[in-house]
Structure formats: structure tokens, C-alpha cells
């Protein structure tokens, strides 16, 4: 049993009488009668006792009152049995009698049970064992007859209570009083079940804390074990997916090899029905072709293909074979088309070697950024860097430069777009740039649009790819000649921008039921410039062919996704035209290959970010996925 630190304090007679006077006040007794939880009552008693000059805690007051009540009950019972001799035990008997005489009388049987079981009969106080009797005696006499560790057991004789018993004999019933009161008490106790003794649980705080820590460690171990299992399952899934992709690439390579060997073998044999200098070539599709059949193949004639080198006809480019697989049949699935074009994009991605120098893989310029729009040029420039460019330059207005520069230290920011000699300042950097992106955050001020137009004209003379997006498309809508017929120009409108540009050139509403035909017509009207119509499936065309990028994206649309596309498209355009100049994939339009690569990367980033963030996906989340998406699409 725990030792109560509030016991063992001696009370003087004056202090005890003061305590009883306070405890016997009418409001204190009323509060004790009406509440089972009476800790606040003894706090009030302690406060009033302290006001008289005696400092005692509420617990000490409560223990002292309990001890006095027990002494009073024992003394009162002794008076009944021993003619007042037991009155000497309680020296405050008269005071207690005056206070408790107005309280409800105790049930004698309850008193017997409480004494026998070590319980107290009181106003809802905490039940105590026989140790309270020892404490009561010690506090009243000021002595400590037993050591603190010795458990004292007090036994009291049962109190005989005479109870009349009615015995019915025949018709007359008489009341018979038993002669032996002790026998009656024993019979009564035998009939009344004895209440079990209530034991207080001794649960130290250290043991509770130890159990809590053990449970916490166990829960943490379970969490780490489940997390490890989840990571292992994720690794297994990725390895399986990687193996499947490698298998598909191997099958594709074997197919290319077999087709090349078959054509080479057939060209070496003597011709029987056809001349040996025939090879499949492309022909432009008319704008009136059916939806889903944007191109076809034909055999060359002597008039059209007599100038082609014989070695090229006998050994066709594998990239041309990829185009033949799609354009020779209008029923080819989007999945097969995507895989074929992804292989073309992989062929233009420059390898990472230690022999390269800074800027060799791309220096991209962004024309845009004003006071109202600072995020768009940042998204485009940082996407170019994340996709693989070495340097990104942002040419913006003076009041937007500080904001854009604060987004990332990797960007080179030039606050010259609104200066009087803006064109001259930008022209000094054009020889160092490999591609130009015009429009993200440009705004529609006349002075800024005029500067952008002159920069486009100077960039065309240097024969570098130009990607026009956002407010740059507003400039093209007002003045289509600024980019008309430029073979390295790429427009990336969304549906609203495309509709506005189509109606400005054709002066009639667009037919929304056949978007492939509409995008082809607009590209032809713009001089067969490469056009990317963004939507549920991105449509890419150069006026002769239409390809669809159906890489899975998501339903989440937020501001800045088009800037990710335009920035990464600047890098892919540089790579594609550089590869074409080196003789890689000459049969394919480099701008269309670049557009397909950028669209695939943007949609894959959107899908991966949506898998992580769901409805809360933003463009910043997409930018964080560029590295892993690029590796999954083009480096696996």
C-alpha cells in the first residue's frame, strides 16, 4: 500500500477545533451533502483555515476530518455498549455530536459492514482500509505505536440487533422474540451476502509510462515494416515495367533489322517485275482527306524520283520505315504510333558525355515577362533547363526581372524588354541562342508586341527554331505574316487561341466536329508551319500529315502547363534540327518530332504529378516530375 504523504502531521487542539468549526458551517455541510466529488469543498475548507493562520492542504484537512469522524463513530458505539467509558477516545465528541446530529443517521448494519471490511460510512469520500483507524489514533494522541511499514488489522465484534420475528401458528399469529441475540446476528449475517472488499489498484506512473513506450515502439515497428513492404512492392512493379519496356524495344529493334535486311536482300536480286530503284516515299495529303487518314504512300515515278540518289533508295532510313508503318494504313492504333514516334525522339536526344562543354546541349531564350505575368516565363525557362538545356535566358521588363530572378538562381534574367533600345540589346544575345520561345507572360502592350515582332524577324534571319505561345499567338493573330512560311516555326495554341487564329485567317467559324481537318487547314494557310493543337489528345501537323500524341495525362488543368510545353519544346526543337543537320532522321520533319517529344513529356509529367497530388496538382508539381518522366519516356 502506498504511503500517503499527507499523513503523519500532528494537529493541535486549537487547530483541530478551528477545523471543526469551519467544517461544521452550514454551507460546507450543504455542499458535502449534495456532491459525491467533494475535493473542491476541502479546498474551500483549507482556504478558510489558512485565513485563520493555520496552513493545511485540502488533503490534510480531508484526512483529519475522516479520522475525527471514525473516532466519533467508535466513541458513540462505545457509549451504547460500555456506558460512556469509550467516550474518552474522542476528545472532540461534543463538537462532532453537535455537527453530525443534524446529518442523516447511519444504518447500523452498514456501519458493521464498513468496519468489518475496512470501509468508511460517509458522504461519498474515498474508502479506506484499517490503516485509517491507526492514523486516527496516532493523530489524536500524537503517538505512533507501530512502525510505518507494519500493517495493523483491527477487528470489532459484531453488534447484536434484536429483530422481532413473527411466527404464524394456525389462525393466531404471535410475535416471538429470540432469546439469543448473538444467534440472531449470526443467522442474519448468513442470510445477507457479504459485500466483497474493494481493493484499490496500485498502478505507479512509471509502469504506465513503460507500457505506453512499449506500445509506441511496437506501433512504430509495425509502421516501418509495412512501409518497407510497400516500397518493395513498388520496386518490383517498376522493375517489371522496366523489363516490359526493354522487351518491347528489343522487339522493335528486331523488326527494324528484319525489315532493313529484307529490303537490302530484295534490292540485290535481279528485278523481275519492278525496277530496283524504287523505294517508298511520302506524299502530302490534301486538306480534304478523311478524318484519321491524314497521309498515304505512293510508289515513286520516274518523273518525281529520278533525282534521288540510288544509294538512298536502296538503303532507306529506318526512321522512314517508322513513318511508313503509320501513314501506309489509316487504322494504326494510337499506341503503336506513340511508340514509333517515341523511338524517333530518342534518336535525337544527345547523349551525356564528359567531353561536352557548357551550352552545347542548348541555350534557350524566353521573350516574355511583365509586371502582371512573372510566373509564365519562369515556368518556360526552368522547364527548358529541366528537360536538358544548359542555359536559359529570360528577356523581360525591368519591373518583372527581380521577381523572376528570385524564383530560381539558375536563370539568366535580362531586364531589357521595355527599354528604348530593347531590340538591339536582345540582338546581341541572339547569336548565342539555339532556340527562341516568344509569348509566355509577354502581355499585350503595343510596345512589347512591337519589340517581340522585331526580335522574331531578326531570329528568322539567323535560322533558329522559334516557338510562339500565349500572348505571342495574339501577335500572330494580328499580323500572321510575322511567322508565315517559316519552316522552323512552331505554334502551340490551345483551343481558344486556335479558334481565334483560325477565324482571323479564314473569316469563317471553325468546324469543331473535325479538328484534324481544321488544324491541317490552318497550317496550310500559315505556309505549312508546324502547328500543335493542345487538348484531350494533342494534334500535331505541318499541313501534310497529322499525328496524335495520346500519352496519358490527367483531368487536372492549371495555369502554366502550356509554358512547360513551350519551354521544353524549345530544347527538343534545337535537338531535332541539329540531329537532322547531322543526317539523323532526315525523312521526318524535325519540328514535328520535337513537338511530339515535348507533348509526350508534358503529358507524362502531368500524369505523374496527378498520381501524387490529385486535385491539388500545380505546375510546380509537374516541373518536379520532368526528370523522372524524361527518363521513363526517352532513356529507358
Amino acid at each position: 500500500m502506498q504511503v500517503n504523504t499527507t499523513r503523519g502531521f500532528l494537529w493541535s487542539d486549537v487547530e483541530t477545533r478551528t477545523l471543526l468549526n469551519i467544517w461544521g458551517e452550514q454551507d460546507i455541510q450543504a455542499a458535502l451533502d449534495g456532491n459525491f466529488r467533494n475535493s473542491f469543498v476541502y479546498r474551500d475548507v483549507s482556504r478558510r483555515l489558512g485565513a485563520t493562520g493555520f496552513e493545511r492542504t485540502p488533503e490534510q484537512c480531508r484526512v483529519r476530518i475522516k479520522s475525527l469522524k471514525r473516532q466519533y463513530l467508535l466513541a458513540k458505539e462505545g457509549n451504547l455498549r460500555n456506558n460512556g467509558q469509550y467516550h474518552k477516545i474522542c476528545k472532540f465528541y461534543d463538537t462532532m455530536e453537535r455537527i453530525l446530529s443534524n446529518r442523516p443517521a447511519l444504518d447500523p448494519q452498514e456501519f458493521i459492514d464498513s468496519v468489518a471490511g475496512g470501509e468508511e460510512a460517509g458522504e461519498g469520500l474515498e474508502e479506506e482500509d484499517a490503516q485509517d483507524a491507526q492514523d486516527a489514533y496516532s493523530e489524536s494522541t500524537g503517538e505512533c505505536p507501530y512502525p510505518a511499514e507494519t500493517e495493523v488489522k483491527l477487528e470489532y465484534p459484531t453488534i447484536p440487533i434484536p429483530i422481532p420475528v413473527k411466527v404464524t401458528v394456525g389462525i393466531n399469529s404471535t410475535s416471538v422474540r429470540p432469546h439469543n441475540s448473538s444467534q440472531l446476528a449470526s443467522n442474519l449475517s448468513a442470510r445477507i451476502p457479504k459485500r466483497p472488499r474493494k481493493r484499490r489498484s496500485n498502478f505507479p506512473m512509471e509502469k504506465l509510462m513503460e507500457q505506453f513506450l512499449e506500445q509506441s515502439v511496437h506501433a512504430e515497428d509495425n509502421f516501418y515494416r509495412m512501409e518497407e513492404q510497400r516500397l518493395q512492392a513498388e520496386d518490383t512493379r517498376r522493375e517489371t515495367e522496366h523489363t516490359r519496356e526493354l522487351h518491347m524495344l528489343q522487339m522493335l529493334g528486331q523488326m527494324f533489322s528484319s525489315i532493313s535486311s529484307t529490303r537490302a536482300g530484295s534490292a540485290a536480286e535481279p528485278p523481275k517485275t519492278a525496277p530496283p530503284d524504287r523505294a517508298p516515299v511520302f506524299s502530302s495529303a490534301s486538306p480534304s482527306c478523311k478524318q484519321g487518314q491524314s497521309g498515304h504512300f505512293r510508289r515513286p515515278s520516274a518523273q518525281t524520283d529520278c533525282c534521288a540518289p540510288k544509294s538512298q533508295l536502296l538503303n532507306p532510313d529506318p526512321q522512314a520505315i517508322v513513318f511508313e508503318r503509320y501513314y501506309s494504313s489509316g487504322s494504326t492504333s494510337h499506341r503503336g504510333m506513340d511508340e514509333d514516334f517515341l523511338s524517333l525522339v530518342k534518336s535525337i536526344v544527345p547523349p551525356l558525355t564528359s567531353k561536352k562543354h557548357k551550352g552545347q546541349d542548348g541555350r534557350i531564350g524566353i521573350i516574355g515577362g511583365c509586371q502582371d505575368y512573372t510566373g509564365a516565363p519562369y515556368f518556360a525557362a526552368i522547364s527548358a533547363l529541366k528537360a536538358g538545356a544548359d542555359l536559359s535566358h529570360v528577356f523581360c521588363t525591368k519591373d518583372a526581372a527581380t521577381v523572376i530572378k528570385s524564383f530560381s538562381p539558375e536563370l539568366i534574367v535580362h531586364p531589357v524588354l521595355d527599354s528604348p533600345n530593347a531590340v538591339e540589346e536582345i540582338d546581341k544575345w541572339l547569336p548565342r541562342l539555339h532556340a527562341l520561345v516568344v509569348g509566355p507572360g509577354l502581355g499585350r502592350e503595343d510596345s512589347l508586341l512591337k519589340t517581340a515582332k522585331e526580335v522574331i524577324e531578326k531570329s528568322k534571319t539567323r535560322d533558329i527554331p522559334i516557338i510562339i505561345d500565349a500572348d505571342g499567338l495574339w501577335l500572330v493573330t494580328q499580323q500572321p505574316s510575322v511567322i508565315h512560311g517559316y519552316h522552323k516555326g512552331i505554334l502551340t495554341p490551345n483551343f481558344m487561341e486556335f479558334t481565334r487564329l483560325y477565324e482571323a485567317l479564314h473569316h469563317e467559324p471553325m468546324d469543331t466536329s473535325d479538328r484534324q481537318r481544321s488544324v491541317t487547314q490552318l497550317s496550310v494557310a500559315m505556309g505549312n508551319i508546324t502547328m500543335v493543337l493542345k487538348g484531350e489528345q494533342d494534334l500535331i501537323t505541318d499541313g501534310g500529315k497529322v499525328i496524335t500524341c495520346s500519352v496519358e495525362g490527367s483531368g487536372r488543368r492549371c495555369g502554366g502547363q502550356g509554358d512547360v510545353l513551350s519551354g521544353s519544346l524549345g530544347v527538343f526543337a534545337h535537338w531535332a534540327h541539329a540531329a537532322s543537320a547531322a543526317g539523323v532522321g532526315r525523312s521526318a520533319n524535325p519540328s514535328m518530332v520535337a513537338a511530339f517529344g515535348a507533348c509526350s513529356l508534358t503529358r507524362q509529367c502531368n500524369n505523374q504529378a496527378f498520381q501524387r497530388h490529385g486535385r491539388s496538382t500545380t505546375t510546380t508539381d509537374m516541373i518536379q516530375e520532368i526528370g523522372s518522366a524524361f527518363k521513363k519516356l526517352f532513356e529507358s
Side-chain angles (χ1 to χ4, degrees):
M1 175 176 140
Q2 280 188 321
V3 179
N4 194 332
T5 57
T6 61
R7 295 175 180 172
F9 295 94
L10 298 180
W11 289 68
S12 64
D13 292 347
V14 176
E15 189 176 5
T16 302
R17 292 188 185 279
T18 305
L19 174 65
L20 289 176
N21 291 335
I22 296 173
W23 180 68
E25 293 179 2
Q26 184 176 0
D27 58 337
I28 297 294
Q29 291 297 312
L32 290 174
D33 289 338
N35 294 277
F36 182 76
R37 301 291 182 183
N38 47 33
S39 58
F40 70 96
V41 178
Y42 284 99
R43 285 198 294 268
D44 189 19
V45 172
S46 174
R47 181 181 58 79
R48 297 185 186 184
L49 186 63
T52 61
F54 300 104
E55 295 294 335
R56 291 289 182 171
T57 64
E59 183 65 16
Q60 290 173 346
C61 295
R62 187 186 69 83
V63 172
R64 183 57 173 163
I65 292 296
K66 285 181 60 178
S67 176
L68 293 173
K69 286 183 61 176
R70 187 176 294 278
Q71 295 175 28
Y72 165 75
L73 293 175
L74 293 176
K76 188 172 183 178
E77 180 62 24
N79 285 335
L80 296 176
R81 291 184 298 172
N82 301 325
N83 298 323
Q85 297 300 320
Y86 207 73
H87 173 69
K88 298 178 181 180
I89 294 179
C90 182
K91 85 173 48 173
F92 305 102
Y93 182 86
D94 296 334
T95 305
M96 295 293 293
E97 176 70 18
R98 176 179 53 82
I99 296 173
L100 296 179
S101 60
N102 297 326
R103 300 289 297 276
L106 286 173
D107 185 6
Q109 184 61 39
E110 182 181 358
F111 177 73
I112 294 172
D113 295 338
S114 64
V115 172
E119 299 176 354
E120 175 192 353
E123 63 280 5
L125 295 176
E126 182 183 357
E127 297 167 347
E128 297 290 341
D129 54 12
Q131 181 69 28
D132 290 337
Q134 175 190 346
D135 295 337
Y137 178 79
S138 301
E139 292 174 0
S140 62
T141 60
E143 300 178 359
C144 184
Y146 304 103
E149 296 79 11
T150 305
E151 183 177 358
V152 180
K153 182 177 181 182
L154 300 180
E155 297 183 355
Y156 302 96
T158 58
I159 301 175
I161 302 175
I163 301 177
V165 179
K166 291 185 178 181
V167 180
T168 304
V169 180
I171 301 176
N172 299 325
S173 60
T174 59
S175 178
V176 181
R177 185 178 301 273
H179 300 284
N180 192 351
S181 60
S182 60
Q183 181 181 0
L184 176 62
S186 61
N187 294 336
L188 184 62
S189 60
R191 278 183 286 172
I192 301 176
K194 192 172 183 180
R195 290 186 298 177
R197 181 177 180 179
K198 297 182 180 179
R199 297 183 179 272
R200 292 173 296 173
S201 60
N202 185 10
F203 235 61
M205 183 60 67
E206 292 80 4
K207 188 172 182 180
L208 290 175
M209 184 60 67
E210 183 179 356
Q211 291 181 358
F212 172 74
L213 293 177
E214 291 178 356
Q215 293 176 359
S216 300
V217 171
H218 183 65
E220 188 175 1
D221 292 341
N222 290 339
F223 171 77
Y224 284 127
R225 183 164 56 252
M226 294 177 63
E227 187 69 11
E228 184 176 0
Q229 294 176 358
R230 187 187 66 81
L231 293 176
Q232 290 178 356
E234 184 70 14
D235 292 340
T236 304
R237 185 189 64 80
R238 290 180 179 177
E239 291 177 0
T240 304
E241 185 177 358
H242 183 66
T243 304
R244 182 178 59 84
E245 292 177 352
L246 288 178
H247 180 66
M248 293 176 62
L249 289 176
Q250 291 175 358
M251 293 179 60
L252 189 62
Q254 293 175 0
M255 182 182 62
F256 286 160
S257 300
S258 61
I259 294 176
S260 300
S261 59
T262 301
R263 290 187 177 275
S266 61
E269 296 177 357
K272 295 182 179 180
T273 59
D277 57 346
R278 293 193 176 183
V281 296
F282 292 108
S283 66
S284 299
S286 63
S288 61
C289 62
K290 296 182 179 180
Q291 182 179 3
Q293 296 180 349
S294 55
H296 62 275
F297 260 69
R298 61 177 178 84
R299 291 291 180 179
S301 62
Q303 291 80 5
T304 57
D305 300 322
C306 60
C307 298
K310 189 171 183 179
S311 60
Q312 180 180 356
L313 297 177
L314 294 178
N315 299 303
D317 194 350
Q319 278 78 12
I321 299 173
V322 175
F323 276 90
E324 178 183 359
R325 287 184 59 197
Y326 172 63
Y327 292 110
S328 61
S329 174
S331 61
T332 305
S333 65
H334 290 307
R335 181 176 179 84
M337 178 187 67
D338 289 352
E339 293 176 355
D340 294 342
F341 272 90
L342 285 176
S343 64
L344 290 177
V345 177
K346 291 178 182 179
S347 66
I348 67 171
V349 175
L352 297 175
T353 63
S354 58
K355 298 180 180 180
K356 290 185 176 181
H357 56 79
K358 181 177 65 176
Q360 187 172 352
D361 280 345
R363 297 184 292 270
I364 311 301
I366 311 295
I367 306 296
C370 60
Q371 182 178 6
D372 296 332
Y373 305 105
T374 56
Y378 161 73
F379 287 144
I382 199 67
S383 298
L385 283 178
K386 292 280 188 178
D390 292 339
L391 297 171
S392 282
H393 296 258
V394 178
F395 300 91
C396 61
T397 61
K398 185 176 180 180
D399 50 5
T402 305
V403 180
I404 298 174
K405 186 66 177 178
S406 67
F407 290 151
S408 174
E410 286 88 1
L411 306 182
I412 305 173
V413 182
H414 308 272
V416 299
L417 194 57
D418 55 348
S419 61
N421 57 341
V423 178
E424 290 75 10
E425 291 291 336
I426 298 174
D427 187 49
K428 293 188 301 184
W429 290 92
L430 288 180
R432 309 182 188 182
L433 301 180
H434 293 127
L436 194 69
V437 180
V438 181
L442 178 62
R444 297 182 181 180
E445 294 185 11
D446 293 338
S447 58
L448 299 181
L449 294 177
K450 181 180 178 181
T451 301
K453 176 184 176 182
E454 296 180 8
V455 172
I456 292 174
E457 295 292 348
K458 290 185 175 294
S459 301
K460 288 164 59 177
T461 60
R462 298 187 180 276
D463 197 36
I464 62 175
I466 301 174
I467 292 86
I468 300 181
D469 184 40
D471 293 326
L473 294 172
W474 176 265
L475 173 63
V476 175
T477 303
Q478 306 299 321
Q479 304 179 47
S481 60
V482 70
I483 197 67
H484 184 277
Y486 185 57
H487 70 288
K488 289 187 178 181
I490 305 175
L491 306 184
T492 60
N494 57 28
F495 180 75
M496 295 301 298
E497 294 165 340
F498 179 83
T499 303
R500 184 167 54 240
L501 185 59
Y502 183 92
E503 293 176 354
L505 268 69
H506 291 83
H507 305 286
E508 62 179 6
M510 184 186 70
D511 183 10
T512 58
S513 61
D514 192 352
R515 295 193 180 184
Q516 288 194 5
R517 179 178 180 181
S518 299
V519 72
T520 304
Q521 290 176 347
L522 184 57
S523 176
V524 172
M526 291 294 296
N528 291 91
I529 192 172
T530 301
M531 189 83 61
V532 179
L533 176 56
K534 297 176 288 189
E536 182 181 0
Q537 292 181 342
D538 298 335
L539 301 180
I540 307 170
T541 183
D542 59 357
K545 299 174 289 292
V546 178
I547 59 176
T548 302
C549 180
S550 57
V551 176
E552 184 179 1
S554 75
R556 172 62 173 158
R557 296 292 182 267
C558 57
Q561 296 187 32
D563 303 314
V564 175
L565 172 64
S566 60
S568 58
L569 181 52
V571 184
F572 279 102
H574 163 59
W575 291 346
H577 286 281
S580 179
V584 178
R586 288 183 176 179
S587 59
N589 185 345
S591 295
M592 293 187 65
V593 176
F596 186 86
C599 291
S600 301
L601 179 63
T602 304
R603 297 172 73 91
Q604 182 66 29
C605 291
N606 182 265
N607 180 267
Q608 292 183 189
F610 186 78
Q611 295 298 325
R612 292 178 178 269
H613 305 282
R615 187 176 293 274
S616 64
T617 302
T618 61
T619 303
T620 304
D621 301 324
M622 291 176 55
I623 292 174
Q624 299 301 323
E625 301 292 335
I626 290 180
S628 59
F630 190 98
K631 183 176 182 180
K632 181 176 181 180
L633 290 173
F634 310 125
E635 294 180 344
S636 60

